[in-house]
Amino acid sequence: MNIHEYQGKEIFRSYGVNVPEGKPVFSPEEAVKAAKDLAQDVIVVKAQIHAGGRGKAGGVKIAKSVDEVEIYAKELLGKVLVTKQTGPAGKKVNRLLIESGCNIDKELYLSLTVDRATAQIVMIGSEAGGMEIEEVAESAPEKIIKEYIDPFIGLTAFQARRMAFKLNMEAGLINKAAALMMNLYKVFVEKDCSLVEINPLVITKDKDVMALDAKLNFDDSALYRHADITALRDETEEDPKEREAALLGLNYVNLGGNVACMVNGAGLAMATVDIIKHYGGEPANFLDVGGQGSAEDDAKAFKIMTADGQAKGIFVNIFGGINKCDIIAEGIVEANKMLGLKIPIVVRLDGTNFKEGREILQKANIPNLIMVESMTEGAKKVVELVKNA
Ligand code: ADP
Ligand code: MG
């Protein structure tokens, strides 16, 4: 789960991680009031969406007066912001953070995440902050500094200081920066984060260290023990189809192409997406029906997969195990009745009860449904049909 920058900063503040003073607002009037309360010469108006890259997309405005704050608030609220991370559809701005302007001397990068290869939390730092860190990692990997953290010992003070030294901080700032890192590690562990990222971490002109941005991701599997975090959820930021599927206990992932994939199991989902790509197609999404859905659930899955007309064809690729092919087949028939689908549906059923499943589909006699014997044949077929559609 993701949260907004201002919510992340509130968590930082409660852990003693230095952040600028600021307040979330939902209207220009609130923005003006917040700006007056801050009473600063420079005030920053920041669009709050669950995506980065706002600075370059015009979502972060520097205001020199309360009047300017009002102008920017009016401009940003309700605007659809398209950044490098939002995709072409962009995200609508419903909230702003009104924040004290910071006198920046230098922008750095600092994050904590889980490194799967070593099964450890890793702290990553770079002097090349404020920019696209992925690009820095690719073009100048020597500028990325890592500290792997022993899970039994936790982040040690010497590791934090070593990071600060390697970031070329001046002597007077080393302890301040190290303390910030120790607090950040505490946030990461205590809140069950999967990512905590500060980009930029700034050194101010008056020699302070401060988090100017805050990106926090939480491990969904641990949310049950963090009611405070769950309460921060902003459903308007989430893909409505992913939410609908989650409520049905299905895993739905939007991929942007035009071949919808209905599968069972994560491994088969990956393989299906790969094979469609291999034959020159673009998966629209995959929907993992998991182990024990009813025919009604499967029909609802079809509805989610085909909503909004993005998909031009469907590939049902099921290897029945716990779930049975006849139930899936009934779901397909049900979905067809319910939705009156016109786009081609290519179906490969194998595994438990595949004979019964195929019989059900044969009897249903759905004109736009094509049964295939294998995954390869199915992938080729659906890609071809979608191309000619
Ligand atoms: P994003 O990562 O979405 O672009 P940031 O919060 O990192 O958004 O802001 C982008 C840039 O705007 C920062 O790199 C910094 O230069 C500037 N900025 C952000 N907040 C402030 C602030 N409070 N004071 C001064 N400059 C800021
Ligand atoms: Mg940033």
Side-chain angles (χ1 to χ4, degrees), residues 70-82:
E70 188 176 9
I71 292 168
Y72 289 137
K74 281 183 177 157
E75 182 190 324
L76 286 175
L77 280 167
K79 183 177 172 172
V80 174
L81 207 58
V82 180

Side-chain angles (χ1 to χ4, degrees), residues 22 28 97 104 119 125 165 174 186 258 263 319 356:
L97 171 60
I104 304 170
F165 274 113
I174 299 284
K186 221 170 156 205
N258 54 14
V263 297
F319 193 90
E356 291 84 341

Side-chain angles (χ1 to χ4, degrees), residues 5 46 52-55 60 85 107 130-131 197-200 212-215:
E5 173 197 3
K46 305 184 77 174
R54 296 162 301 165
V60 177
Q85 293 181 13
E107 299 199 343
M131 288 190 288
E197 186 182 67
I198 304 177
N199 190 23
L212 226 52
D213 195 1
K215 177 172 177 171

Side-chain angles (χ1 to χ4, degrees), residues 20-214:
E21 235 188 295
K23 219 180 152 189
V25 301
F26 295 82
S27 68
E29 298 74 43
E30 283 179 355
V32 167
K33 174 154 193 321
K36 281 184 182 157
D37 290 348
L38 282 175
Q40 299 284 324
D41 295 338
V42 180
I43 286 177
V44 184
V45 181
K46 305 184 77 174
Q48 298 295 290
I49 51 171
H50 283 190
R54 296 162 301 165
K56 282 186 182 151
V60 177
K61 305 280 191 193
I62 313 282
K64 300 273 166 57
S65 66
V66 173
D67 287 344
E68 275 185 31
V69 169
E70 188 176 9
I71 292 168
Y72 289 137
K74 281 183 177 157
E75 182 190 324
L76 286 175
L77 280 167
K79 183 177 172 172
V80 174
L81 207 58
V82 180
T83 82
K84 255 193 166 168
Q85 293 181 13
T86 58
K91 284 197 168 224
K92 192 171 163 208
V93 181
N94 297 315
R95 349 180 158 191
L96 304 171
L97 171 60
I98 306 296
E99 185 171 82
S100 287
C102 170
N103 213 345
I104 304 170
D105 190 29
K106 189 172 173 185
E107 299 199 343
L108 311 167
Y109 173 94
L110 186 70
S111 70
L112 287 162
T113 189
V114 179
D115 178 67
R116 286 172 199 279
T118 57
Q120 287 181 316
I121 296 170
V122 58
M123 177 164 69
I124 302 171
S126 178
E127 269 191 274
M131 288 190 288
E132 299 284 332
I133 197 70
E134 293 84 0
E135 276 167 31
V136 177
E138 207 148 287
S139 61
E142 73 284 355
K143 287 192 182 148
I144 306 281
I145 299 146
K146 291 182 181 170
E147 283 288 344
Y148 292 89
I149 301 164
D150 186 304
F152 293 107
I153 299 169
L155 178 66
T156 62
F158 91 83
Q159 283 183 301
R161 281 198 300 274
R162 184 161 63 191
M163 173 63 86
F165 274 113
K166 286 188 180 170
L167 292 173
N168 283 321
M169 292 201 179
E170 54 185 82
L173 285 173
I174 299 284
N175 283 339
K176 250 186 203 172
L180 182 145
M181 291 174 205
M182 301 295 284
N183 289 333
L184 203 66
Y185 178 72
K186 221 170 156 205
V187 172
F188 190 97
V189 173
E190 288 184 6
K191 297 294 181 193
D192 286 313
C193 295
S194 49
L195 173 75
V196 173
E197 186 182 67
I198 304 177
N199 190 23
L201 173 76
V202 298
I203 297 170
T204 65
K205 291 250 165 68
D206 42 14
K207 306 285 171 216
D208 211 351
V209 187
M210 196 177 250
L212 226 52
D213 195 1

Side-chain angles (χ1 to χ4, degrees), residues 7-19 184 187 196-198 211 213-216:
Q7 296 166 328
K9 282 179 168 167
E10 275 163 24
I11 295 173
F12 281 0
R13 204 175 279 123
S14 71
Y15 276 77
V17 173
N18 203 9
V19 292
L184 203 66
V187 172
V196 173
E197 186 182 67
I198 304 177
D213 195 1
K215 177 172 177 171
L216 282 83

